[in-house]
Amino acid sequence: MSRRVMSGRAGWLRLAAALAIAPITGGCAWTLNATAGHARTVRDVSYGGAPRQRLDVYLPAQTSGETGPGANASEPAAHAAPGRPIVVFLYGGTWQHGDKANYRFVATAFARHGYVAMVPDYRLYPEVRYPTFLQDAAQAVRFARDHAADYGGDPTRLVLVGHSAGAYIAAMLALDSRWLAAEGLRPERALRAVVGIAGPYDFLPLTDPVLQEIFATPQGLPSTQPITHVGEATPPMLLLAGAADHTVDPGNTERLAARIHEHGGPVQAAVYPGNVSHLSIIGAFAPPLRFLAPSQRDTFSFIDAQTGWAESASAGSAANVTAATRAADARP
């Protein structure tokens, strides 16, 4: 896809059609990222010792009186406004592909809404197999919690969001307590909310030889499935899928939601009707493509509700107005 920013609805409709068949890589990612707007970014922060154990941090715009890094800064915002939700976004790619840089349009959307967004790379097949990518993601969550305040975030407002294979990882961290427990965390306490977008949660039997190799484990394949680990202690979850998803059967979303309901867990789920596909549901986070699906709106509404961010932001705005009024009244 040409590295030329499209203009007009017809151009964006062509990109939307491309998202039905092309992965978010190369020119497609460049085009989506070019529409995202600006967010201050701290790149390539290490959360572990391996080359792919790095993450990018996206920060909301500076507010009055805040001093912090500019775009592409290398140091955290020491005096950022505290209390913002921290969103760790895990991208997909069949546990074999992916680059955090391709998802700047998603992370920027989170930052422009007022969240602190972190997008980690994690190790992939063939370098690693299950469960290493889960362990990497758990380390990234531990980093986000430990360093939330460095970037103006609240460690008690930590949210996981994942798409495709990233949604699988997010669900496993939320439902199988082993992975976060290895980092000294309990999912139901450490995670305020989890959002899975077009995720595979119940995908046995495996017929792809590569996936068979990725997920081979002495504990047996059922242990690799998020649906196996549903119990009573579950963080609030939002599960989204598109009816036209021919990559991951939307039945994964329906079955996991039903299982959580059976156990009395907090879950909301939606399968969007029409032409919402595996990639358009995440492409809709790019400003010109939001007409494709309400996935961004529903994600933000869920996170706001679970973290209390909407109320906090409103209270903060009111406090700023009150302070400004008092300052004006004090002038001679």
Side-chain angles (χ1 to χ4, degrees), residues 241-246 250 271-277:
D245 190 335
H246 303 298
V271 176
Y272 300 130
N275 296 320
V276 180
S277 70

Side-chain angles (χ1 to χ4, degrees), residues 192-228:
R192 184 68 71 89
V194 177
V195 181
I197 303 172
Y201 313 116
D202 178 28
F203 53 97
L204 298 182
L206 297 179
T207 58
D208 185 316
V210 174
L211 292 182
Q212 291 173 350
E213 187 171 350
I214 290 173
F215 286 99
T217 174
Q219 287 74 39
L221 288 175
S223 70
T224 69
Q225 303 295 290
I227 199 167
T228 300

Side-chain angles (χ1 to χ4, degrees), residues 169-330:
I169 294 173
M172 283 293 281
L173 296 191
L175 299 172
D176 185 351
S177 61
R178 291 178 293 171
W179 313 116
L180 286 180
E183 299 296 327
L185 301 172
R186 294 176 59 177
E188 71 276 14
R189 293 184 178 180
L191 302 177
R192 184 68 71 89
V194 177
V195 181
I197 303 172
Y201 313 116
D202 178 28
F203 53 97
L204 298 182
L206 297 179
T207 58
D208 185 316
V210 174
L211 292 182
Q212 291 173 350
E213 187 171 350
I214 290 173
F215 286 99
T217 174
Q219 287 74 39
L221 288 175
S223 70
T224 69
Q225 303 295 290
I227 199 167
T228 300
H229 301 284
V230 175
E232 295 181 359
T234 303
M237 298 185 72
L238 173 66
L239 305 175
L240 305 175
D245 190 335
H246 303 298
T247 302
V248 175
D249 175 13
N252 281 268
T253 288
E254 295 169 326
R255 292 191 296 275
L256 181 59
R259 182 69 60 86
I260 295 172
H261 273 302
E262 289 171 6
H263 285 76
V267 63
Q268 300 176 37
V271 176
Y272 300 130
N275 296 320
V276 180
S277 70
H278 189 69
L279 293 176
S280 65
I281 196 171
I282 194 67
F285 278 71
L289 297 182
R290 287 179 189 157
F291 66 91
L292 291 176
S295 44
Q296 179 192 268
R297 180 200 67 198
D298 291 348
T299 297
F300 288 177
S301 295
F302 181 74
I303 295 173
D304 285 350
Q306 297 302 322
T307 63
W309 173 240
E311 292 82 359
S312 297
S314 298
S317 297
N320 288 338
V321 170
T322 300
T325 302
R326 288 173 178 167
D329 290 344

Side-chain angles (χ1 to χ4, degrees), residues 33 37 89 99 133 135 171 242 312-313:
N33 288 339
F89 176 74
D99 189 315
F133 37 78
Q135 295 164 336
S312 297

